[in-house]
Amino acid sequence: MHSAAPQAHATDPDDYKVKDAHPELGEQWLNSGSSDGRGWMSSERFTSTYDLVEQMFYLYIRVVKAKDLPPSSIPGSCDPYVEVKLGNYKGRTRHFEKKMNPEWNQVFAFSKDRIQSSALEVFVKDKEMVGRDDYVGRVVFDLNEIPTRVPPDSPLAPQWYRLEDRRGGGKVRGEIMMAVWMGTQADEAFPEAWHSEASSVYGEGVFNIRSKVYVSPKLWYLRVNVIEAQDALPNDRSRLPDLFVKAQVGSQILRTKICPTRTTNPLWNEDLVFVAAEPFEELLVITVEDRVHPSKEEMLGKIILPLDTFEKRLDHRPVHSRWFNLEKYGFGVLEADRRKELKFSSRIHLRICLEGGYHVLDESTMYISDQRPTARQLWKPPVGILEVGILSAQGLLPMKMKNGRATTDAYCVAKYGQKWVRTRTILDTLNPKWSEQYTWEVYDPCTVMTLGVFNNCHLGGGEKSANGRAARDSQIGKVRIRLSTLEAHRIYTHSYPLLVLQPQGVKKMGELQLAFRFTTLSLANMIYVYGHPLLPKMHYLHPFTVNQVDSLRYQAMNIVAVRLGRAEPPLRKEVVEYMLDVDSHLWSMRRSKANFFRMMSLLSGMINMGRWFGEVCNWKNPMTSVLVHILFLILISYPELILPTLFLYMFLIGLWNYRFRPRHPPHMDTKLSWAEAVHPDELDEEFDTFPTSRPHDTVRMRYDRLRSVATVVLYVTPFKVAALVAGLHYLRHPRFRSKVPSVPSNFFKRLPARTD
């Protein structure tokens, strides 16, 4: 099995648009059968637990345990396992060595669409090292007699069944405890079940194809305020030290500036901010070091502190500072050295706290899905519920070669807030059908849900990439849903194109069908939220610098990727990075052009108004000029009509534009994002590695192009305008100097942007 390069679709403009889909949501299963209605083949019961997905029916078999199994004749023991057979499909449990009363507790699920038999056979066999496995006994079920279970009914109780011989002529020794029922994907046994569609997967791959729900670790900002140190004596007593402090939490390393004055009692008063995750596994390591010369640094003292001992701060009030004794480098190994150290020790003055009033950013702020502070005490009640049905994908491009055939093993990942969802993997198809529904609590409507489709490269066969390294799950495409653009209590069913920007241009990788519904709990709470800042107040009272935000976000993303990668099955690093937009902070000429033309489109209304007024003054259209003069005379004669006329004009414009309102949630616009019209060299620059892998002449040409853009910007922007804006900003009234944004500013910032 190896990767296959996907081929592009035809560039049809309609292929890049969101399309209406009409799936049969909440479908009931009606079939003719026996009139008594006992069996699932004739059931007319509704299964309405999942109303945003198509109902998919499965035959579930739970094999619990067996007892009193007979030993084989030669070794005198039994290595039992169970084989479940339905038509041409077979599933088997693991085997136990030398155990007469084994316990499996394993569930099998057979899709109703693939059932080819009217009888279910369950065999108990004895595994042999050489030759065919011995037959112990079997149980046969008539599918017409199998009951239907509809959640929220309690699980079906398993029963003991006597084993019979191969031909059904009589009972044999041994019993097996089982439960057999008909259910849907809403059944709680569905995620953990062995599915007949995945019969070719073995080993660890069985766990990697199951659907799972993950929760991101709880992240904190750790603020270390390094104030001062005392008696930091250098190893060379003939010189005064150049001292700085280095702090480390896990793989994060930060350092203060070198104290400007050479002294053994340095003063820094600098803040070092880290990202930490619960449960706190890392330690805070503080070292005081002396820069002897630019290529050599000596450690003078060290202290190691556990993170769970620090105070958790909920607001901007300062916490108490503490003095800590430093262990001198090289001391503490022998008890005599430790006693000598305690007589005289260097000290460091620190103020350390865990910040609970911030929201730890691990994703791009443009597509943020959660804005709550870390401390649960500061959370507001939810304003709504988001229900998402991940239905299917259509026309996916083949991502790998398997047995000489191009195919895709696709699964979908959805992320909103701290909750991640991974659907099961559908094997060997370019049109996978998941039909899985999930629910999230919504605390802020101005948030974004992200869904990504991936190709599973970990099916248990020890897959390797082309360069011999471990295989990585390849990304197929991504879809974003901005909740503020949704109507409440409406079900949206659309097919989203999976568009990917590659060095060759825009490529459509397929379509993803979704059904979602946003239910608001209180309209008053929604209006209340729109008047408040996007982020918690601590982000405005004590803001981080731009470099700090980028660095902390990168560290938070790494922590989330590591923690989710330790789950079973793991949500792999490449998946987490793609969902969290690891490269969203990178600059590109294409993005700069897109933002520039968006700004120009914002000012185009004023420019068009100026042109229209010029045409009126120059009598380009005499009829329009006459009407404008008449309106001007009326307003001068009756000034009380100015405001009503203005409001009437705005109302008519809004009424006219209402006809052209978007019918679908926003999606990637290839024209607005300049993904179609971008120059090939600019696209190559965007996908270039760091450091660059291009020739020096190409890099020089790109730098010259960037300088020309900067020159144009400086030339177009007059110095007087820049000086005027800066002066008015710094001379503004104290009423407008509040660090927390005003209500109109919050409302404007919460309006949907065209960044999607």
Side-chain angles (χ1 to χ4, degrees):
M1 185 186 303
H2 60 276
S3 175
Q7 301 179 5
H9 285 200
T11 57
D12 185 358
D14 291 336
D15 286 345
Y16 296 160
K17 296 181 180 179
V18 178
K19 302 174 183 177
D20 285 320
H22 304 283
E24 297 178 355
L25 303 183
E27 177 187 10
Q28 62 169 329
W29 192 21
L30 296 175
N31 273 332
S32 59
S34 59
S35 58
D36 58 0
R38 293 176 57 193
W40 61 270
M41 302 186 85
S42 62
S43 174
E44 296 186 2
R45 298 183 61 181
F46 285 92
T47 55
S48 58
T49 304
Y50 283 8
D51 61 341
L52 292 182
V53 294
E54 300 179 36
Q55 296 293 332
M56 300 175 64
F57 285 81
Y58 291 87
L59 175 64
Y60 291 99
I61 303 98
R62 180 183 294 276
V63 180
V64 183
K65 57 185 176 180
K67 66 179 181 180
D68 297 334
L69 297 180
S72 59
S73 56
I74 297 178
S77 62
C78 184
D79 301 335
Y81 70 91
V82 174
E83 181 180 274
V84 180
K85 181 181 180 183
L86 183 63
N88 295 328
Y89 292 99
K90 293 181 180 180
R92 57 180 292 178
T93 66
R94 62 189 183 278
H95 80 279
F96 291 101
E97 295 184 359
K98 300 179 181 180
K99 201 166 186 179
M100 306 296 183
N101 302 301
E103 293 188 14
W104 295 284
N105 197 24
Q106 188 170 341
V107 181
F108 299 85
F110 294 87
S111 175
K112 171 252 179 183
D113 298 330
R114 302 193 180 189
I115 291 179
Q116 304 169 348
S117 174
S118 60
L120 169 68
E121 296 178 285
V122 180
F123 299 94
V124 179
K125 295 186 177 182
D126 181 10
K127 186 174 180 61
E128 297 292 340
M129 298 298 296
V130 180
R132 297 180 60 182
D133 296 341
D134 290 341
Y135 176 86
V136 178
R138 72 168 186 169
V139 178
V140 181
F141 295 89
D142 184 358
L143 297 189
N144 288 301
E145 300 298 327
I146 293 177
T148 300
R149 175 178 176 260
V150 183
D153 290 354
S154 298
L156 199 66
Q159 302 180 34
W160 286 104
Y161 295 90
R162 284 287 303 274
L163 300 177
E164 59 185 30
D165 60 16
R166 187 188 304 270
R167 299 175 183 175
K171 302 296 182 182
V172 297
R173 178 182 171 183
E175 297 182 66
I176 184 171
M177 177 180 281
M178 298 174 51
V180 183
W181 72 96
M182 189 64 195
T184 67
Q185 70 268 42
D187 201 294
E188 63 269 11
F190 179 80
E192 300 294 335
W194 174 94
H195 289 266
S196 57
E197 299 95 332
S199 57
S200 61
V201 181
Y202 55 91
E204 293 295 328
V206 175
F207 301 100
N208 291 326
I209 64 173
R210 292 176 175 172
S211 58
K212 285 293 181 181
V213 176
Y214 305 84
V215 178
S216 295
K218 188 175 183 179
L219 301 178
W220 293 79
Y221 283 138
L222 174 66
R223 187 186 296 271
V224 180
N225 179 223
V226 182
I227 303 174
E228 58 181 330
Q230 287 184 356
D231 301 327
L233 301 178
N235 295 330
D236 183 6
R237 302 301 173 89
S238 63
R239 55 176 287 276
L240 291 175
D242 288 327
L243 297 176
F244 66 94
V245 174
K246 183 167 68 176
Q248 180 175 357
V249 177
S251 61
Q252 307 172 64
I253 300 177
L254 297 176
R255 59 175 62 193
T256 65
K257 298 178 181 178
I258 296 178
C259 182
T261 58
R262 290 192 169 188
T263 176
T264 58
N265 299 313
L267 178 65
W268 295 282
N269 198 22
E270 289 187 33
D271 281 346
L272 306 178
V273 184
F274 301 88
V275 179
E278 289 186 356
F280 299 120
E281 300 175 351
E282 294 84 6
L283 299 172
L284 173 62
V285 181
I286 302 287
T287 58
V288 178
E289 300 187 12
D290 176 21
R291 173 166 290 185
V292 180
H293 52 78
S295 61
K296 182 180 180 181
E297 297 168 352
E298 293 182 353
M299 184 187 301
L300 303 184
K302 177 180 178 181
I303 186 173
I304 301 177
L305 302 170
L307 300 185
D308 53 6
T309 60
F310 302 136
E311 182 179 348
K312 296 179 179 179
R313 185 171 72 164
L314 304 182
D315 50 24
H316 61 280
R317 287 176 291 187
V319 298
H320 297 291
S321 60
R322 292 176 56 189
W323 285 95
F324 296 92
N325 293 329
L326 296 172
E327 290 186 9
K328 291 191 176 181
Y329 182 69
F331 280 86
V333 178
L334 301 176
E335 189 63 30
D337 293 336
R338 182 173 295 276
R339 288 196 300 267
K340 182 179 179 180
E341 177 192 358
L342 292 176
K343 296 179 180 179
F344 177 80
S345 176
S346 302
R347 299 195 305 167
I348 187 169
H349 194 193
L350 303 174
R351 181 181 287 110
I352 309 176
C353 67
L354 292 164
E355 297 282 7
Y358 288 89
H359 170 72
V360 180
L361 297 168
D362 60 349
E363 53 193 344
S364 173
T365 53
M366 292 188 297
Y367 308 112
I368 193 169
S369 64
D370 188 14
Q371 301 165 352
R372 293 171 294 172
T374 300
R376 185 177 289 270
Q377 302 94 307
L378 303 178
W379 289 7
K380 300 292 192 299
V383 299
I385 296 175
L386 176 65
E387 300 165 275
V388 177
I390 305 174
L391 302 179
S392 61
Q394 301 291 331
L396 297 181
L397 296 184
M399 303 298 294
K400 65 173 70 170
M401 296 295 296
K402 185 185 297 184
N403 299 326
R405 182 171 55 90
T407 184
T408 297
D409 303 323
Y411 67 92
C412 183
V413 175
K415 196 266 181 187
Y416 183 78
Q418 296 180 350
K419 181 178 177 181
W420 297 67
V421 161
R422 170 179 173 162
T423 66
R424 70 191 189 282
T425 300
I426 307 298
L427 304 179
D428 297 336
T429 178
L430 303 180
N431 302 294
K433 186 176 180 180
W434 296 289
S435 291
E436 299 183 21
Q437 181 174 337
Y438 300 94
T439 304
W440 284 265
E441 288 184 334
V442 178
Y443 291 86
D444 195 310
C446 302
T447 46
V448 178
M449 160 167 274
T450 304
L451 300 101
V453 182
F454 301 87
N455 175 55
N456 196 335
C457 295
H458 298 83
L459 301 181
E463 296 87 346
K464 299 289 184 181
S465 59
N467 55 10
R469 298 179 181 177
R472 293 164 56 92
D473 289 353
S474 50
Q475 55 209 22
I476 299 177
K478 183 162 46 180
V479 171
R480 291 190 175 97
I481 301 172
R482 190 172 293 275
L483 271 61
S484 57
T485 62
L486 305 180
E487 296 180 20
H489 311 286
R490 173 186 169 185
I491 296 179
Y492 290 83
T493 54
H494 295 103
S495 182
Y496 289 84
L498 298 171
L499 304 180
V500 176
L501 185 62
Q502 296 184 351
Q504 298 80 17
V506 180
K507 181 179 292 185
K508 181 180 178 182
M509 308 293 289
E511 295 183 356
L512 178 64
Q513 285 192 359
L514 300 172
F516 47 88
R517 174 177 56 209
F518 176 45
T519 305
T520 58
L521 303 178
S522 172
L523 181 60
N525 283 344
M526 291 280 291
I527 299 175
Y528 175 81
V529 166
Y530 266 84
H532 282 69
L534 284 169
L535 295 172
K537 288 185 178 180
M538 285 294 290
H539 287 270
Y540 304 97
L541 297 178
H542 295 282
F544 296 120
T545 64
V546 176
N547 291 335
Q548 275 184 312
V549 170
D550 288 340
S551 175
L552 292 173
R553 175 176 172 263
Y554 180 76
Q555 298 297 338
M557 184 185 59
N558 282 339
I559 292 175
V560 172
V562 170
R563 291 291 179 92
L564 295 182
R566 289 158 52 180
E568 185 62 43
L571 200 59
R572 303 187 182 276
K573 183 178 181 181
E574 60 269 20
V575 175
V576 176
E577 289 181 347
Y578 182 66
M579 296 291 291
L580 296 180
D581 295 309
V582 63
D583 57 349
S584 63
H585 65 287
L586 299 179
W587 180 89
S588 72
M589 184 66 74
R590 177 189 60 85
R591 293 175 181 173
S592 300
K593 285 185 176 180
N595 291 329
F596 173 76
F597 284 104
R598 283 176 54 208
M599 294 173 58
M600 294 304 297
S601 65
L602 180 65
L603 302 175
S604 62
M606 300 174 59
I607 297 174
N608 293 335
M609 182 64 69
R611 290 176 180 175
W612 174 82
F613 187 73
E615 292 177 356
V616 170
C617 295
N618 294 325
W619 289 75
K620 296 288 185 180
N621 189 339
M623 182 62 67
T624 303
S625 299
V626 170
L627 292 177
V628 170
H629 281 74
I630 294 174
L631 179 62
F632 177 72
L633 294 175
I634 293 174
L635 294 179
I636 291 297
S637 303
Y638 303 96
E640 63 274 10
L641 296 178
I642 295 178
L643 288 179
T645 303
L646 181 62
F647 288 134
L648 177 63
Y649 181 69
M650 295 173 62
F651 173 75
L652 293 177
I653 291 179
L655 196 63
W656 176 264
N657 291 334
Y658 183 75
R659 300 168 51 207
F660 308 103
R661 70 190 186 278
R663 305 292 181 176
H664 306 300
H667 191 55
M668 178 182 177
D669 190 334
T670 54
K671 294 183 179 180
L672 184 65
S673 61
W674 275 70
E676 285 183 332
V678 62
H679 191 275
D681 182 70
E682 296 175 359
L683 202 56
D684 181 73
E685 179 185 11
E686 185 170 347
F687 285 93
D688 192 9
T689 57
F690 181 83
T692 182
S693 58
R694 299 296 181 264
H696 293 289
D697 295 339
T698 303
V699 177
R700 185 183 301 276
M701 182 269 293
R702 291 173 178 174
Y703 272 112
D704 292 340
R705 182 175 58 197
L706 183 59
R707 291 191 191 97
S708 64
V709 172
T711 303
V712 170
V713 172
L714 293 176
Y715 179 77
V716 172
T717 306
F719 174 76
K720 292 183 179 180
V721 174
L724 177 63
V725 173
L728 292 178
H729 174 73
Y730 284 106
L731 296 174
R732 66 189 185 277
H733 191 273
R735 181 184 295 272
F736 304 105
R737 292 179 180 270
S738 175
K739 293 184 178 181
V740 180
S742 61
V743 173
S745 174
N746 294 331
F747 181 82
F748 179 78
K749 291 179 180 179
R750 286 178 173 273
L751 295 178
R754 305 193 70 182
T755 52
D756 297 334

